[in-house]
Amino acid sequence: MRISAKTDYAVRAAVELAAHGDEHPLKSERIAQAQGIPLRFLENILVQLRQGGIVVSRRGAEGGYRLAEPADSITVADVIRAIDGPLAAVAGERPEKLGFEGTAEPLRDVWVAVRASLRDVLEHVTLADLASGELPDAVRARTADPDAWLTR
């Protein structure tokens, strides 16, 4: 899976909002500075997150952004979908909708399994988990395996 800078920035911005809490909205400038995200890029990302129902915005001197729902109910998968669409697409299509022929027929099941593996992690890590630094045990177990850190 390739995670674009845009998606990485979106998750980081959402985690920044989660860590900040619901006291008052955060300005995009503050999020950009805290996470090292170029402001103009972040502003476009925040529009997509707002359209995807992840954040809400408020205009004015006291305005800014906040999460649309509690941080413990928004997963990393939710943020990724708001930016990129489905977690695992093949040539822009959901794998179960593709037709593979001949010897490639089992490939559809491989792509569906990949999507299920992604969901297994991304749908179980919330913004609250990330903001608190307390990842679910299943995620920690995966990263405890030295093979997880190999780049092959």
Side-chain angles (χ1 to χ4, degrees):
M1 174 180 184
R2 182 181 176 280
I3 300 167
S4 68
K6 184 178 189 180
T7 299
D8 177 56
Y9 287 161
V11 174
R12 289 167 45 190
V15 171
E16 187 67 28
L17 290 169
H20 179 70
D22 248 359
E23 302 167 21
H24 50 81
L26 271 183
K27 302 270 187 210
S28 56
E29 294 85 357
R30 183 166 171 195
I31 299 167
Q33 182 179 23
Q35 291 299 319
I37 303 170
L39 180 59
R40 293 183 69 83
F41 198 31
L42 175 63
E43 288 170 344
N44 290 327
I45 290 167
L46 289 168
V47 167
Q48 279 190 268
L49 291 176
R50 186 175 48 76
Q51 291 169 341
I54 303 297
V55 302
V56 293
S57 62
R58 188 167 121 194
R59 293 180 183 259
E62 299 297 315
Y65 293 87
R66 69 174 60 184
L67 295 175
E69 302 289 333
D72 63 358
S73 69
I74 302 172
T75 67
V76 174
D78 296 328
V79 177
I80 292 171
R81 286 183 187 113
I83 298 299
D84 288 333
L87 291 180
V90 179
E93 294 290 331
R94 295 176 187 269
E96 69 274 10
K97 291 186 175 188
L98 296 173
F100 293 95
E101 310 223 357
T103 57
E105 192 172 334
L107 192 53
R108 182 197 61 179
D109 291 350
V110 171
W111 297 143
V112 170
V114 167
R115 180 180 59 195
S117 295
L118 289 171
R119 284 180 176 164
D120 191 40
V121 173
L122 300 174
E123 289 183 347
H124 293 98
V125 177
T126 68
L127 297 181
D129 294 333
L130 292 169
S132 71
E134 292 295 321
L135 296 176
D137 291 340
V139 173
R140 281 200 269 191
R142 287 179 187 259
T143 61
D145 178 357
D147 284 347
W149 298 94
L150 296 177
T151 56
R152 41 181 158 132

